[in-house]
């Protein structure tokens, strides 16, 4: 629904920093649908992501919504440098490593990648990708398990 992007954008605004968030989703931004969220009960029928997020106009100014998978659209973005990335798309090892490769080639020491859904027995593809990345030695990995059903990894680049 765009909540992670909204939070990152708020952090950019709060720090009075410059930044652009590019987010990929196969679900259309403007199509009205049922989102399985509280907004479904507060409105009369389906609602679009654009409508859900409309209460945060200053945060939306930092976000570019791209409909489609990162797998097919990431190379088209023209991104040359990526200080920070939050990866939460496809949950296969192959897809996570593909996104990681793209981002890591555009990072230098100290840059960060946060991986969502690093949860054993739930998203094993993500867990395996993180283990592979850690074994390569270019990133220091800090795994965070917020519950038995929710995990993250913070990867900090330590070599170029």
């Amino acid at each position: 629904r765009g909540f992670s992007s909204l939070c990152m954008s708020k952090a950019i605004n709060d720090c009075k920093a410059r930044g652009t968030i590019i987010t990929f989703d196969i679900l259309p931004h403007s199509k009205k649908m049922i989102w399985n969220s509280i907004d479904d009960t507060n409105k009369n029928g389906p609602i679009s992501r654009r409508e859900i997020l409309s209460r945060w106009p200053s945060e939306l100014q930092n976000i570019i919504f791209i409909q489609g998978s990162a797998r097919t659209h990431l190379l088209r973005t023209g991104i040359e440098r990526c200080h920070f990335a939050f990866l939460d798309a496809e949950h296969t090892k192959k897809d996570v490593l593909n996104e990681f490769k793209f981002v890591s080639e555009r990072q230098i020491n100290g840059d960060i990648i946060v991986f969502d859904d690093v949860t054993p027995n739930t998203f094993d593809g993500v867990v395996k990708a993180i283990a592979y990345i850690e074994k390569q030695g270019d990133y220091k990995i800090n795994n965070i398990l917020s519950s038995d059903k929710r995990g993250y990894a913070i990867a900090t680049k330590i070599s170029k």
Side-chain angles (χ1 to χ4, degrees), residues 31-91:
K31 182 178 179 185
K32 293 183 182 232
M33 60 182 71
I34 300 298
W35 292 90
N36 193 27
S37 73
I38 192 72
D39 284 300
D40 295 337
T41 60
N42 294 340
K43 303 286 181 188
N44 295 330
I47 186 172
S48 70
R49 180 187 299 117
R50 180 181 310 281
E51 292 169 311
I52 292 171
L53 301 178
S54 66
R55 293 176 282 184
W56 298 278
S58 63
E59 285 76 16
L60 291 173
Q61 292 178 13
N62 301 324
I63 306 171
I64 298 170
F65 293 92
I66 298 177
Q67 183 183 346
S69 72
R71 182 184 320 129
T72 56
H73 294 292
L74 198 55
L75 291 174
R76 298 177 186 167
T77 62
I79 296 170
E80 295 179 14
R81 179 82 162 78
C82 187
H83 303 271
F84 175 87
F86 180 78
L87 301 184
D88 178 28
E90 303 295 327
H91 288 68

Side-chain angles (χ1 to χ4, degrees), residues 99-107 113 139 157 160:
E99 291 178 23
F100 166 77
K101 181 179 185 296
F102 178 88
V103 171
S104 68
E105 290 173 351
R106 290 156 178 81
Q107 290 195 315
I113 304 172
Y139 283 79
K157 186 130 186 183
K160 176 63 183 152

